[in-house]
Amino acid sequence: MPLPSEIATILKDKLSKEESQRVTDYIEKLQSQIVDLGGNLPDITKVKQEPSMEESASSSFYVPVYDPASNAEDYEKAGEYKQKASDCKSAGDYDKALEYYNEAVLAAPPSALLYSNRAICIMKLGHYKIAEEDCNRALELNPDSGKALKTRGILRMNHLNDWHGALSDLGQSQSIDFDPEIATALKELSKKRVEEEKHQAKERLAKEEKLRKRAEEIAKAQKEAEEEAAAEARSAGGMPGGMGGMPGGMGGMGGMPGMGGMPGGGAGGGMDMGGLMSMFMGDPEIQEAMKNPKVMTAFQELMSGPGGPMALLSDPSKLQKVMADPEVGPVLQKILGKLGGAGMGGGAGGFPGGPGAPPSGGGDDNNDDDEEDIPDLGEMPDLD
């Protein structure tokens, strides 16, 4: 168990190192024996700390305060006491000066100057808190008492560990009654204030920087979330589940009546799915139209159905039905037009029943001449 702090201090200050160690070892041995015999050692953490010399002295130190109820107003007697007190104070006899100041306080209502002078004597005798109280009394009577402000400022700076209060008091006292010695003290206090402000500014900037970085992180996260949501929306709205593809791209196909023909050949004659996607989704009108579920379904059926777009082109009745839909028809026409321009030869403009083609079963008047050139098989001679 550790020794009480006051005992350890005595051993350290009064004895040599070897002697102190011997006493410490002996005390610890006694403590161990007490515990072994079933005894209890006192909890030194709960032992009441003795007051410091200043606190002890101040607790027994007392100065009287004027009581208005006494109706004491012997100003002549109070003046005599103040003169005697001033003489003693000038001579350095602060105890005797304090006695006379106390008598003066009780003889008549005291002034701010009387309390200020008594505070100086009390400060010289080492009772700093009580001296500060007298300064407070003086300032209650006269807030512009330079002597009270100066005395309290010195107390706070040198004895009460309150340099903020000291800076305020001494600054005010200088504006009332300039003192070169106080000016020097104010410079030191002002340096402390500047250092404190620098430290506070540094802490404030660090806090602001931390908040700024946090705000940037939040903004970045929000932007990434928005971009991700937009990408998902485009993917979901434009091509849900992806586009049933045309493996290897659209192969070339032979010409079809009414179309300029699709170049024949293998897979190399067409456009691959990546190219189609890039072409379609690069068109704002098609991209916007794909948000319509009905259009999207028709487009998927067109691209992923058996035979792909050519199956639709080869079925005029089905093509007419799809093209007649006011929502699907215009978009499909635009898509087929792009397919035609992307490698389908003469384009989609001439397929039967398609956009721009004559109605099925009808014909151009100019075709009558062609029909006249075809011989009637019934009029052919019998070769037998």
Side-chain angles (χ1 to χ4, degrees), residues 150-280:
K150 176 181 175 181
T151 303
R152 191 174 70 175
I154 293 172
L155 282 165
R156 290 176 169 178
M157 180 178 64
N158 296 332
H159 306 293
L160 300 178
N161 194 28
D162 180 12
W163 68 266
H164 292 93
L167 180 61
S168 176
D169 287 344
L170 295 180
Q172 291 181 69
S173 72
Q174 284 293 83
S175 65
I176 297 170
D177 184 14
F178 183 80
D179 185 334
E181 293 182 3
I182 298 303
T184 302
L186 273 175
K187 286 183 180 179
E188 296 301 318
L189 292 173
S190 297
K191 288 180 181 179
K192 284 188 175 184
R193 180 58 182 166
V194 170
E195 290 300 320
E196 183 183 61
E197 289 177 347
K198 287 181 179 179
H199 180 70
Q200 291 174 345
K202 186 176 180 180
E203 288 184 340
R204 184 174 63 255
L205 291 174
K207 184 177 181 180
E208 291 175 355
E209 179 65 14
K210 185 177 180 180
L211 292 174
R212 184 187 65 79
K213 288 183 178 180
R214 179 58 180 159
E216 288 179 352
E217 291 174 358
I218 293 174
K220 182 179 179 182
Q222 289 177 339
K223 183 178 180 181
E224 291 175 352
E226 291 172 358
E227 291 177 350
E228 184 177 349
E232 291 178 357
R234 287 194 299 269
S235 177
M239 300 284 174
M243 194 174 84
M246 300 170 65
M250 290 175 57
M253 299 181 62
M256 295 181 61
M259 297 178 62
M262 296 174 62
M271 179 179 288
D272 61 19
M273 182 59 73
L276 288 173
M277 289 292 293
S278 176
M279 178 177 66
F280 293 156

Side-chain angles (χ1 to χ4, degrees), residues 33-297:
Q33 290 176 350
I34 291 172
V35 173
D36 292 340
L37 293 172
N40 294 320
L41 296 175
D43 187 356
I44 62 172
T45 61
K46 296 182 179 180
V47 176
K48 184 178 179 180
Q49 297 292 326
E50 293 294 330
S52 64
M53 293 180 64
E54 179 184 337
E55 291 173 340
S56 179
S58 295
S59 63
S60 60
F61 185 81
Y62 168 78
V63 291
V65 180
Y66 178 76
D67 182 8
S70 67
N71 294 320
E73 293 185 357
D74 192 341
Y75 290 100
E76 183 177 349
K77 191 174 183 181
E80 293 176 1
Y81 285 133
K82 285 191 285 186
Q83 184 58 52
K84 291 179 180 179
S86 178
D87 293 340
C88 291
K89 182 164 72 77
S90 299
D93 189 352
Y94 297 109
D95 285 307
K96 197 65 177 177
L98 180 58
E99 291 180 11
Y100 287 126
Y101 278 131
N102 289 340
E103 294 294 338
V105 166
L106 296 174
S111 64
L113 183 59
L114 173 54
Y115 276 131
S116 299
N117 286 326
R118 189 173 75 166
I120 293 173
C121 292
I122 297 172
M123 179 178 66
K124 294 293 185 179
L125 295 172
H127 304 289
Y128 306 122
K129 289 296 295 182
I130 296 176
E132 184 185 34
E133 291 173 3
D134 254 9
C135 291
N136 294 338
R137 294 186 184 100
L139 291 168
E140 287 177 2
L141 296 171
N142 179 13
D144 295 326
S145 173
K147 179 171 281 192
L149 287 167
K150 176 181 175 181
T151 303
R152 191 174 70 175
I154 293 172
L155 282 165
R156 290 176 169 178
M157 180 178 64
N158 296 332
H159 306 293
L160 300 178
N161 194 28
D162 180 12
W163 68 266
H164 292 93
L167 180 61
S168 176
D169 287 344
L170 295 180
Q172 291 181 69
S173 72
Q174 284 293 83
S175 65
I176 297 170
D177 184 14
F178 183 80
D179 185 334
E181 293 182 3
I182 298 303
T184 302
L186 273 175
K187 286 183 180 179
E188 296 301 318
L189 292 173
S190 297
K191 288 180 181 179
K192 284 188 175 184
R193 180 58 182 166
V194 170
E195 290 300 320
E196 183 183 61
E197 289 177 347
K198 287 181 179 179
H199 180 70
Q200 291 174 345
K202 186 176 180 180
E203 288 184 340
R204 184 174 63 255
L205 291 174
K207 184 177 181 180
E208 291 175 355
E209 179 65 14
K210 185 177 180 180
L211 292 174
R212 184 187 65 79
K213 288 183 178 180
R214 179 58 180 159
E216 288 179 352
E217 291 174 358
I218 293 174
K220 182 179 179 182
Q222 289 177 339
K223 183 178 180 181
E224 291 175 352
E226 291 172 358
E227 291 177 350
E228 184 177 349
E232 291 178 357
R234 287 194 299 269
S235 177
M239 300 284 174
M243 194 174 84
M246 300 170 65
M250 290 175 57
M253 299 181 62
M256 295 181 61
M259 297 178 62
M262 296 174 62
M271 179 179 288
D272 61 19
M273 182 59 73
L276 288 173
M277 289 292 293
S278 176
M279 178 177 66
F280 293 156
M281 301 316 294
D283 190 314
E285 293 183 13
I286 294 178
Q287 186 176 3
E288 182 64 27
M290 289 302 173
K291 295 180 181 180
N292 185 333
K294 188 174 182 180
V295 175
M296 190 65 234
T297 301

